[in-house]
Amino acid sequence: MPIYNFSAGPAVMPQSVIAQIQAELPSFQGSHMSIMELSHRSQLFDQVITDAEADLRTLMQIPDNYRVLFFQGGGTLQFTAAPLNLAIQHHHIGLLDSGHWASRAADEATRVHTKVDILGSSAATHFTTLPTLNQPVATDLDYVHVTTNNTIEGTAYTTLPVTGTVPLVADMSSNFLGQIYNVADFGMIFAGAQKNLGPAGLTLVIVRDDLIGHAKHLPSMLDYQLFATKRSMFNTPPVMAIYAAGLVLKWLKTQGGVAVMAQRNRQKAALLYDFLDQSTLFNNPVAPADRSLMNVPFKTVSPALDTQVIAGATQNGLLNLKGHRLLGGMRASFYNAMPIAGVQALVDYLATFEATHKGVQSNVSN
Ligand code: PMP
C-alpha cells in the first residue's frame, strides 16, 4: 500500500532526494565522511551552499540586488529579525491580519518595540477570506507584513496587496516555491524550509540589499548585514539541512521549475476542492478566490465523524490528516513533493467514506 504524508510541516520530501541522502550518507562525494561530519569551512560544503543559493536564484529569478541568507530559528525568529533589521526609520509597520501566523508576527514585532498597525483583517469571517488593505498605505511605515499562504486557515494571496513605496515583507513559509511570485514585488521574503523545501532547522531569507545594514548593535545572530557579509557562515550553519534543501532545489530544476510545480499544485488542489464542493458530507469553508494550493482544511458535520475519517484514512496509508488544534477537523497539505496520485487516493477514500455514511448531511452549505 502506498503511503502518503499530508502533514503541514515538517512535510513530505521527494522520494528521490531521500534516496540520494541515504546513498550519500556514509561518504559524501568520496570524502569517506558523512555530510553531517563535514566542516562548514570545507571546500565540499562551500560548494553545497554555493550551489543551493545559485539554484534558488535561478528557480525564483532572484534579482542581483537581493541577498539570499540561510538562517536558523524557523519562521518565528524572522518575526523578530525582520522588524529589528528593517523597521529602523519609524519603528512602525503595517500588517494584514490573515490568521494565526500573522498575529504571531504582530506579537513578536511588538515585543521588540515596533508599533504594529493592522491595515486589514479578516477576523470577522473567521479568516475564511483574505483581508484587503482598507486604506492607502501611510508612508510612515517601514514595511507591510503579509502572510502569502495561511497554513492553518487555508488561504493564499494570488494578487498581492498594493503598498506603494512601502516595502512588502512576506512570510512565505508555506508556499515558498509552490506558486509563482515576483521577488522584485517584495522588500523581503522569508520561509522556514520544513514545508516546501527540506528538513526543519533552516530558514531562507531573501532581502533587497538597500534595506539592510541600517540597524545598529543588533545581536549578531539576527543581523542580516552580517549574515550577508559572511555568506551565512558567521557561525556554524545547519549543514545537513542546507545540503538536503540543496538537493530539493536540484530536484525542482529537473521537474521544470516553479511554473511546472505551480501548475501541478493547481491540479492537485482542484481535485480536492472539486470533490469537497460537491460533497454533502465534507465542507471547506474558504472563499474560492482565496483558497490555498498547499493547505486545505475541511470538516464533516461532527468532531466524532472527523475522528472516524482520520482513523480510516490512517489505515489506508493517508497519514497526518488531523486538522490544526485551533480549527479541528481535517487538513490536507500537499506541497511540491506530494504526487497527484496521493491527492487522488485521498479523494477516492473520502468519496468511499461518504458513500458508506449516506444520510449524514453537511450542516454547512457549500
Ligand atoms: N509562518 C507560517 C505561515 C507557518 O506556517 C509557520 C509554521 N507552521 C510559521 C510561520 C512558524 O514557523 P517555525 O515553526 O519554523 O518557526
Side-chain angles (χ1 to χ4, degrees):
M1 177 175 67
I3 300 291
Y4 296 107
N5 174 11
F6 294 95
S7 168
V12 60
M13 285 173 59
Q15 274 180 5
S16 61
V17 168
I18 302 291
Q20 188 175 347
I21 293 171
Q22 185 181 35
E24 289 183 341
L25 203 57
S27 174
F28 181 65
Q29 297 196 355
S31 66
H32 301 284
M33 290 174 284
S34 167
I35 182 74
M36 296 185 293
E37 302 167 298
L38 281 184
S39 165
H40 60 295
R41 307 286 175 206
S42 65
Q43 182 55 37
L44 279 171
F45 180 70
D46 203 276
Q47 197 59 49
V48 168
I49 195 167
T50 303
D51 284 356
E53 175 171 345
D55 290 338
L56 184 67
R57 285 185 176 279
T58 305
L59 284 161
M60 291 182 77
Q61 298 178 3
I62 300 175
D64 288 346
N65 63 324
Y66 283 74
R67 304 276 70 84
V68 173
L69 311 176
F70 297 82
F71 269 88
Q72 304 189 50
T76 303
L77 191 67
Q78 298 310 317
F79 295 159
T80 305
L84 284 178
N85 282 272
L86 305 188
I88 291 308
Q89 222 187 326
H90 308 289
H91 303 282
H92 188 185
I93 66 171
L95 182 135
L96 284 160
D97 174 29
S98 55
H100 176 77
W101 292 110
S103 103
R104 290 286 300 107
D107 286 352
E108 296 296 330
T110 309
R111 280 169 185 260
V112 289
H113 311 294
T114 302
K115 184 165 180 262
V116 181
D117 281 358
I118 304 299
L119 304 182
S121 172
S122 50
T125 67
H126 303 285
F127 304 111
T128 57
T129 56
L130 286 169
T132 44
L133 280 174
N134 47 23
Q135 72 247 0
V137 174
T139 49
D140 67 341
L141 298 175
D142 289 304
Y143 63 83
V144 173
H145 178 108
V146 65
T147 313
T148 51
N149 186 85
N150 295 280
T151 326
I152 298 174
E153 298 80 4
T155 57
Y157 282 91
T158 319
T159 310
L160 294 171
V162 176
T163 55
T165 55
V166 179
L168 204 51
V169 168
D171 176 358
M172 212 176 268
S173 290
S174 47
N175 67 347
F176 191 63
L177 296 163
Q179 66 190 78
I180 292 195
Y181 290 106
N182 179 14
V183 174
D185 290 340
F186 301 91
M188 171 182 157
I189 293 168
F190 66 91
Q194 70 270 24
K195 296 167 192 303
N196 227 352
L197 183 56
L202 169 66
T203 306
L204 268 295
V205 170
I206 301 168
V207 62
R208 218 173 66 207
D209 57 12
D210 61 296
L211 297 175
I212 64 175
H214 306 298
K216 302 276 177 275
H217 312 302
L218 288 182
S220 301
M221 291 300 288
L222 292 166
D223 187 338
Y224 291 165
Q225 183 63 51
L226 183 64
F227 267 57
T229 310
K230 300 286 185 185
R231 297 179 54 234
S232 305
M233 290 183 278
F234 164 72
N235 74 330
T236 314
V239 170
M240 176 78 185
I242 293 171
Y243 155 74
L247 294 182
V248 174
L249 293 168
K250 289 198 188 304
W251 173 82
L252 274 170
K253 283 173 75 182
T254 64
Q255 297 295 303
V258 185
V260 171
M261 282 299 144
Q263 169 61 20
R264 244 186 246 169
N265 290 336
R266 277 193 295 274
Q267 254 181 306
K268 287 187 284 180
L271 257 183
L272 181 55
Y273 286 125
D274 288 350
F275 168 77
L276 295 174
D277 287 349
Q278 59 75 49
S279 166
T280 52
L281 179 62
F282 296 100
N283 176 262
N284 165 273
V286 177
D290 293 342
R291 284 173 168 174
S292 166
L293 300 182
M294 304 282 143
N295 314 96
V296 184
F298 59 100
K299 282 184 178 173
T300 68
V301 288
S302 79
L305 207 55
D306 291 344
T307 306
Q308 282 185 40
V309 172
I310 295 160
T314 306
Q315 281 170 4
N316 284 280
L318 308 169
L319 307 184
N320 297 319
L321 283 165
K322 193 170 189 303
H324 190 277
R325 63 190 183 283
L326 289 174
L327 246 67
M330 282 72 70
R331 173 175 51 171
S333 299
F334 16 86
Y335 299 112
N336 288 341
M338 170 64 66
I340 197 153
V343 185
Q344 188 61 58
L346 172 62
V347 169
D348 292 346
Y349 164 74
L350 295 175
T352 307
F353 187 96
E354 181 164 0
T356 53
H357 291 76
K358 271 209 176 354
V360 187
Q361 298 293 304
S362 171
N363 60 354
V364 196
S365 71
N366 283 314

